[in-house]
Amino acid sequence: MQTQKSAATTASTAASSKAEIGESICKDAAGDSKSSAVDLGQVRLLSDGSLVFVTFTTTANIPTSGTVLYSVTAWSPDGKTGYQLGAKFQNGKEVANFVYNVVTNKQENITNGAVAADKTVSTRYPLAKLVGLGDTFSWSGSVTVDGADVDRCADGEAKTPFPGV
C-alpha cells in the first residue's frame, strides 16, 4: 500500500512540474509582409513558470538597417489587462526591450537583453511583470519597420496554461 501512495505522489509531482510550463506558437504565412525587409514565419511563447521566452522567427535574415520593433500584445480573457512586450533594434543593434502596460500607459524597461541573429530574435520577460494577464490569455505578434506595422501573426492563444501570470 505504501508503494502505491509513493507512485501516486510521484505522478502528482510530475504533473505539477509539467503544469509549470506553458507554450503557444503562432504561425504566419510567408510572403504576407508589407515590407521586403522582414517577414514573420512564426512567433513562439514559452514559459518556465518564472519567465516567458519570446522567439520571433523570420523567413529571411533579420534586417540590419532601419528601426525594427518585434512585439507581442497580450490580453487577459476579460479584456481588462493588456501588455505589449517589445524588443526594438536600430541598424541591427538593440535599443529597447520593454513591457508596456496598455491599461495604465506605463512602460518598464527590461535589461536582460534581446538576441538577434540570422532569422531569429529571442528575448525573455519576468512573468511577475505581467500581473493580471491570466494563464489562458490571447495574444498576437507583430513587426514594425521604421514606424509602420508590416507583418502580424494574429492567431496566438495561450493554448497551454501559463501559470503565474
Side-chain angles (χ1 to χ4, degrees):
M1 193 69 145
Q2 187 72 333
T3 304
Q4 289 177 344
K5 187 174 183 182
S6 295
T9 301
T10 301
S12 175
T13 302
S16 295
S17 296
K18 186 173 174 96
E20 290 295 316
I21 295 175
E23 180 178 27
S24 184
I25 295 173
C26 178
K27 295 189 182 275
D28 190 48
D32 67 339
S33 179
K34 295 176 187 172
S35 169
S36 60
V38 64
D39 187 20
L40 280 175
Q42 79 172 29
V43 182
R44 178 181 184 226
L45 306 183
L46 177 69
S47 172
D48 67 358
S50 64
L51 296 169
V52 60
F53 299 88
V54 181
T55 305
F56 296 86
T57 305
T58 59
T59 59
N61 284 343
I62 57 172
T64 56
S65 64
T67 302
V68 183
L69 171 65
Y70 300 86
S71 66
V72 166
T73 303
W75 287 95
S76 63
D78 64 6
K80 294 181 180 177
T81 304
Y83 294 96
Q84 181 185 42
L85 315 175
K88 186 185 283 188
F89 294 83
Q90 190 164 32
N91 298 326
K93 301 204 184 294
E94 179 188 3
V95 294
N97 192 17
F98 60 87
V99 174
Y100 174 73
N101 186 317
V102 179
V103 176
T104 64
N105 241 4
K106 292 187 179 176
Q107 178 173 311
E108 184 169 349
N109 293 324
I110 305 297
T111 58
N112 60 22
V115 176
D118 302 323
K119 298 178 182 181
T120 305
V121 173
S122 300
T123 189
R124 62 187 186 264
Y125 304 93
L127 288 177
K129 304 292 182 194
L130 306 176
V131 174
L133 194 56
D135 63 0
T136 57
F137 55 89
S138 60
W139 65 276
S140 63
S142 63
V143 177
T144 303
V145 176
D146 295 327
D149 292 337
V150 298
D151 203 2
R152 185 167 185 256
C153 193
D155 71 350
E157 268 183 50
K159 297 171 184 83
T160 304
F162 280 66
V165 291

